Amino acid sequence: MNSRICVAITGASGSLYALRLIEVLLAAGGQVDVIVSKAAQLVFATETPLALPGNPAAQATFLQQYFQVDDTQLRVFGREDWMAPWASGSGQPGPLVICPCSTGTLSAIATGASNNLIERAADVALKERRKLILVPRETPYSEIHLQNMLTLTRMGAVILPASPGFYHEPQSIQDLIDFIVARILNQLGIEQQLMPAWGKDNVPQ
């Protein structure tokens, strides 16, 4: 992995996807920057036993301890940190993954709102033609949601819904989480062992 990857976490259900993605990226020797929305903090408290602090510096310490890494491997930027490298086209050139991506964030990115660092980082990724992966987790989708996804797809973003498959015969929730994380890693061009590539050995008999 030659560049930093930014993982932005918003208020859609699916915080376990984000935790697992960060874990796998770090285990692969990656350098990960994290941005957490205010709504995501509430979701974390609902879906996991983790209670993320509100302050970015405290979040960084918490996550570094949780993943057992240091500040060279994992950094956290605040939602209003306009001096963060992800806020400018002349800053960090790496890919951005918004996982999970709320439909509100989806809408803001599709319209270029840039009201916070997550939205601005996505805006930068689009204008600089960098990899942008959005992982929405909502059902059903309204016409508004679908139109925003189509708009962003045409702009070059990858829409990767958190819709795990079952052909790998999952035995646990972790297997379902890994299915989506593996697809994200594939899109990032990062070798992974979470899910085998589809082939004749995977086809049900």
Side-chain angles (χ1 to χ4, degrees), residues 6-144:
C6 183
V7 177
I9 308 169
T10 65
S13 178
S15 50
L16 291 173
Y17 290 116
L19 285 175
R20 181 60 167 155
L21 175 61
I22 294 169
E23 177 185 27
V24 173
L25 290 172
L26 291 170
Q31 296 175 310
V32 181
D33 289 344
V34 178
I35 312 169
V36 183
S37 76
K38 187 173 183 179
Q41 289 177 247
L42 298 176
V43 175
F44 259 97
T46 301
E47 297 184 339
T48 78
L50 305 181
L52 283 177
N55 178 276
Q59 287 177 0
T61 299
F62 181 91
L63 291 173
Q64 287 161 10
Q65 292 175 348
Y66 179 82
F67 292 112
Q68 298 185 328
V69 296
D70 58 32
D71 59 4
T72 65
Q73 297 167 280
L74 187 148
R75 305 184 299 187
V76 175
F77 292 97
R79 297 179 292 271
E80 308 299 325
D81 187 354
W82 303 112
M83 296 304 293
W86 301 96
S88 172
S90 62
Q92 196 69 44
L96 168 63
V97 182
I98 303 182
C99 175
C101 181
S102 68
T103 53
T105 301
L106 193 77
S107 173
I109 297 170
T111 56
S114 295
N115 288 319
N116 57 51
L117 181 58
I118 294 175
E119 296 169 12
R120 173 56 183 168
D123 194 51
V124 168
L126 289 172
K127 78 183 185 70
E128 299 293 331
R129 304 297 193 267
R130 295 171 185 164
K131 177 70 78 172
L132 172 61
I133 302 172
L134 308 176
V135 186
R137 212 290 329 145
E138 185 67 82
T139 190
Y141 292 124
S142 74
E143 182 177 350
I144 295 171

